[in-house]
Every structure is written in C-alpha cells, then in structure tokens.
C-alpha cells in the first residue's frame, strides 16, 4: 500500500533542496493517493504545495490551474488549519505568478485565519508576507493598507516591527528621491572616514541621502521618529545597545551563519551536513528542517545574484555580516542627528564598521552581495520583489556610476 506520508516527506525533501520539478510531481502523487482515500484536508494542502512547486519551477499557468482546483475542493471544508494554510500557500503562488494584489489579499486572509486559531507565529509570518506584497504592488500608495495591517498585528511582536519598517519604507518614497547616488560637495569624498561611510552607501543610495556625510538632511525629530519606530531606540542607551549589536554582527539571524558554515558542494551534501550538525547538538527536527529550507533559499538567491551580476559566475556568500556593518554606518548617522551621541562617537562607530567590513570581505562586490543577501533573507523571503529589485538597482549604481565611491576608492 502506498504511504502518502512517505510521498509527502519525499516531496518536502525535494522542495528543501530546490528540486522543484520533482517536488511538484511528488506532491501530485501524494495528493492523488489522499484524494482516493478521501482525506480531503491533507489532499487540498498537497495540491496547494504542488501549485507552489510548479510556480517556483516556472510553470505558472499550470500552477494557477492546480491552485484553483485545490480552492474548489477546499470550499467543502470548515474553517480551520487547512483553510488557513491554503490561503498562505495561495499567496505565494499568486505572488510568483505576478499577481501581487490578489496575493496580498490571500496572505491577509491567512493571517486572520491563523489568528482565529490562536497560531501567533504563523499569523505574524502571513502578516509580514501581506505587507511585502502590499508594498510591492502599491509602492508609496501602500501607506494606508500598511497602517491597517499594522493595526491587526500585536504590538511588540516581530511581525509588527517588520510591517512598521515597511510602512516607513512606503512613507519615505517620493517619486524619485530614492535609488540616487548623492555626494555632499561640502563633505570629504576621499580619506579614511569617507572610505568607512561608503560601507553604508547601500542605504544612502536607497534613501536618496548623501553617502559621504554624517549629517542627515532630515531634522532631529525625523531621526528620533525613525529610530523609535524602526529600531525601538529612544535614548542614548538604547542607541548604544543597537549599534553595538550591529558592529558585532549580532543583529541578523544567527541561523543564517550556521547554514553558510555548513555549506557543501551539492544541495544533498549541504542538507546532510546541516542534519549532522544539528544532530550532534540535539537540535529539534523542526529547527533542523527550517535550517535545511534556509539553505535552499540561500542557494536560490545566489543563483539569481549570479544571473543579475551581483555575484561572479561561481561566487558564493560566506556571511551576511556586511548587512549589519552597512547598517551600523547609518545607525551612527541617525544617532548623531537624533542627539543620542556626539560627532566623535559617530565617527568612531562608522570607522569601526568600515574596518570590520574590510577584514571580513575582499572587495566591494563581495561585500555588496553579502549585504543584499542579509537584506533579502530579512525582508524579501524568496519573492524577488521590490526589496530585491531596489537592492539590485543600488548595487548597480554603486558598482557602475563613475562618481560612486566604490569606483573611486579601492577596497580595504
């Protein structure tokens, strides 16, 4: 007798290792067995995951057909976990199909359904997904829907914090005051400090602010508002705590470095090494599988990075510490302009961030790929949406514009 559980486990393994064509076939086989046994909730979810794998494989039309069939079958189901999970997967499929407005609605529905079930972590994940999709679809016009979404999430939670960051992103999007290289003519564009400030240039370009100055065009009130909203920084002590974490590369998820340190030549060997590492430390199966899935996500980003010129043909990212170092430069700027530190302290922090970046990477391009991967794993979650496109644009500006500090100053 065919065991659908074994089929689903095989499909999940293919999914984790990026073998999306084989995953789609395995999910389809499991769904057929479950349908024959009239195990409708599990069959619906297997079909939904088949659709997700098809979409990731590039078979968008077929993915939408399978998803529509799963949703018709699910109409006979009472509200519950299966319906919530189906909405969450539908959001992913629709996003991959380039239908972000409908995808956002499904993600919001998934958030509401998980909240009704008392499943806080999955509700927050769905809410963050809805926020990313709203921002991707509406840009600056996303502020109203994002405020509404923020009101549905529990204050103090990770989901609330991340959607608040998205709202700030939308609010700071004038038509072309972003993704622009600006050099302050009154500030040095050469020298030790300028070199360190160039490590923070990704955010400066993205926000349309001068890369080479610790001064900020926004006033003290705007800087204090930004720090309170996005970083929970409200005074010199909390600012010091945050910048120390950034300088020590402790702000990003430590799981990312575990996965990168376990890297092996093939997806299968990488997966085995993660399982071996976790087994030696008695780490739970759920966490082990999450790390395994993260390795697949890293691999997919690196493949796209190579195609888009963010990485060389055989390049890899060895750490995402650069994401913290780049933000530390900007945290120094914001802290100075908010009145939470003096000029000397801000300079020292920026110089430290630059020095640690130079010790970690071998080129501007290598640093940039690390910075972008860290940002994508925090915000983009495999979407290759607006977060990715804008980061790619920033990378291209900084690596090709003759006025860029990355073109005018050697690394290190």
């Amino acid at each position: 007798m065919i065991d659908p559980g074994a089929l689903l486990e095989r499909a999940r393994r293919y999914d984790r290792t990026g073998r999306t064509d084989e995953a789609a076939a395995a999910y389809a086989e499991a769904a057929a067995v479950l349908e024959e046994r009239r195990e409708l909730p599990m069959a619906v979810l297997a079909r939904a995951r088949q659709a997700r794998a098809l979409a990731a494989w590039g078979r968008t039309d077929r993915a939408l057909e399978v998803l529509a069939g799963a949703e018709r079958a699910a109409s006979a189901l009472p509200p519950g976990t299966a319906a919530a999970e189906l909405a969450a997967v539908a959001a992913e499929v629709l996003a991959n199909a380039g239908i972000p407005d409908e995808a956002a609605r499904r993600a919001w529905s998934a958030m509401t359904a998980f909240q009704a079930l008392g499943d806080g972590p999955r509700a927050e994940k769905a809410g963050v997904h809805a926020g990313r999709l709203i921002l991707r679809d509406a840009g600056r016009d996303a502020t109203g829907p994002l405020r509404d979404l923020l009101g549905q999430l529990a204050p103090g939670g990770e989901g609330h914090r991340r959607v608040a960051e998205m709202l700030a992103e939308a609010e700071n999007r004038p038509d072309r005051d972003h993704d622009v290289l600006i050099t302050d003519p009154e500030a040095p564009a050469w020298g030790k400090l300028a070199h360190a400030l160039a490590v923070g240039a990704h955010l400066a370009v993205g926000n349309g602010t001068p890369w080479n100055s610790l001064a900020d065009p926004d006033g003290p009130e705007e800087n204090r508002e930004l720090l309170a909203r996005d970083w929970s920084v409200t005074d010199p002590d909390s600012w010091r705590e945050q910048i120390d974490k950034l300088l020590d590369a402790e702000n990003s998820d430590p799981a990312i470095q575990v996965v990168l340190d376990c890297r092996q030549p093939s997806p299968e060997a990488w997966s085995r090494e993660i399982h071996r590492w976790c087994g030696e430390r008695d780490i739970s199966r759920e966490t082990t599988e999450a790390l395994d899935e993260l390795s697949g996500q890293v691999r997919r980003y690196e493949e796209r990075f190579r195609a888009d010129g963010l990485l060389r043909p055989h390049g890899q990212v060895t750490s995402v510490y650069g994401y913290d170092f780049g933000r530390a430069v900007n945290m120094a700027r914001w802290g100075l302009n908010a009145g939470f530190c003096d000029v000397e302290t801000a300079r020292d922090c920026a110089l430290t961030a630059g020095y640690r970046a130079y010790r970690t990477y071998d080129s501007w391009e290598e640093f940039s790929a690390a910075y972008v991967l860290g940002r994508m794993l925090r915000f983009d979650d495999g979407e290759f949406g607006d977060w990715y496109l804008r980061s790619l644009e920033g990378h291209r500006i900084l690596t090709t514009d003759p006025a860029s500090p990355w073109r005018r100053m050697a690394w290190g």
Side-chain angles (χ1 to χ4, degrees), residues 33 37 42 84 96 112-113 171 184 228 302 318 333 343 382 391:
V33 174
R37 294 184 176 190
M42 288 298 295
N96 273 330
T112 303
E171 289 174 336
D184 184 348
E302 288 180 334
T318 57
R333 177 181 293 120
V343 174
S391 296

Side-chain angles (χ1 to χ4, degrees), residues 32-376:
V33 174
L34 291 163
E35 287 161 354
E36 186 176 350
R37 294 184 176 190
R38 299 187 182 280
E39 296 181 29
L40 186 56
M42 288 298 295
V44 163
L45 291 178
R47 288 295 181 195
R49 289 164 186 161
Q50 177 195 357
R52 181 176 61 189
L54 286 165
W57 184 21
R59 299 282 303 278
T60 303
D61 290 344
R62 178 59 181 151
L64 292 173
E65 289 176 12
V66 173
L67 176 63
E71 292 184 321
R72 284 194 298 272
S75 63
L77 295 176
T81 301
E85 291 183 7
L86 175 59
V89 175
E92 295 182 53
V93 174
L94 290 162
N96 273 330
I99 314 173
D101 54 343
E102 184 59 30
R105 283 191 282 272
R106 303 298 178 85
W108 195 310
S109 294
M111 175 191 71
T112 303
F114 283 128
Q115 287 173 335
L117 293 167
D119 191 338
R122 285 203 284 185
E124 286 204 340
K125 182 177 180 181
V128 170
H129 192 199
R132 284 197 303 270
L133 291 165
I134 291 167
L135 189 59
R136 173 179 167 185
D137 181 51
R140 184 167 175 77
D141 292 335
T143 54
L146 285 173
R147 285 194 192 96
D148 292 341
L149 178 63
L150 196 63
Q152 301 299 312
L153 293 163
E158 178 68 7
H160 190 278
R161 185 188 66 76
R162 291 178 66 178
V163 172
E165 289 178 345
M166 294 176 207
L167 177 57
E169 173 88 1
E171 289 174 336
N172 291 325
R173 276 194 185 184
D175 287 342
R176 196 62 182 109
D177 288 348
H178 61 268
D179 301 335
V180 180
L181 178 67
I182 299 175
T183 302
D184 184 348
E186 302 299 321
W190 300 88
K192 192 174 181 180
L193 179 60
H195 211 293
L197 291 174
V199 167
H202 254 295
L203 261 179
V205 166
N207 293 333
T209 58
W211 67 268
N212 62 321
S213 174
L214 281 170
D216 194 308
D218 292 330
E221 193 59 41
E222 287 84 353
N223 277 269
R224 284 193 288 269
E225 182 181 340
L226 178 150
L227 288 169
R229 180 189 62 223
D230 298 347
W231 294 85
S232 299
V233 166
T234 56
D235 54 33
D237 289 342
S238 53
W239 174 84
R240 185 78 247 184
E241 180 182 355
Q242 285 289 1
I243 200 163
D244 283 346
K245 285 182 179 179
L246 291 168
L247 291 172
D248 292 338
E250 293 179 350
N251 183 276
S252 295
D253 184 352
I256 300 170
Q257 196 58 44
V258 170
V259 166
L260 294 176
D261 288 343
C262 286
R263 188 195 294 271
Q264 297 296 317
S266 70
E268 295 79 9
W270 197 353
S271 176
R272 287 195 298 272
E273 178 61 17
I274 289 170
H275 281 261
R276 184 201 63 76
W277 188 91
C278 292
E280 288 182 352
R281 291 158 178 79
D282 198 27
I283 291 172
S284 71
R285 178 179 177 180
E286 182 182 19
T287 300
T288 302
E289 290 182 352
L291 292 173
D292 207 355
E293 289 175 7
L294 181 57
S295 71
Q297 197 171 20
V298 168
R299 189 170 56 256
R300 288 189 288 276
Y301 273 116
E302 288 180 334
E303 288 171 357
R304 180 68 176 269
F305 284 10
R306 295 184 197 105
D308 290 338
L310 262 163
L311 276 175
R312 294 179 179 178
H314 301 290
Q316 296 176 337
V317 176
T318 57
S319 80
V320 294
Y321 298 153
Y323 183 46
D324 281 1
F325 299 147
R327 290 182 297 161
V329 170
N330 290 276
M331 180 61 75
R333 177 181 293 120
W334 297 327
L336 172 63
N337 289 278
F340 295 154
C341 71
D342 57 25
V343 174
E344 184 177 355
T345 300
R347 285 172 55 91
D348 287 346
C349 288
L351 289 167
T352 299
Y355 174 76
R356 292 182 181 178
Y358 307 144
R359 290 290 301 270
T360 306
Y361 303 102
D362 293 326
S363 68
W364 289 112
E365 292 79 7
E366 187 180 314
F367 160 76
S368 183
Y371 179 94
V372 175
L373 180 60
R375 195 178 196 212
M376 293 309 98

Side-chain angles (χ1 to χ4, degrees), residues 378-391:
R378 189 170 194 125
F379 293 113
D380 187 64
D381 200 24
E383 298 262 335
F384 297 101
D386 197 50
W387 288 101
Y388 177 70
L389 295 175
R390 290 194 60 198
S391 296

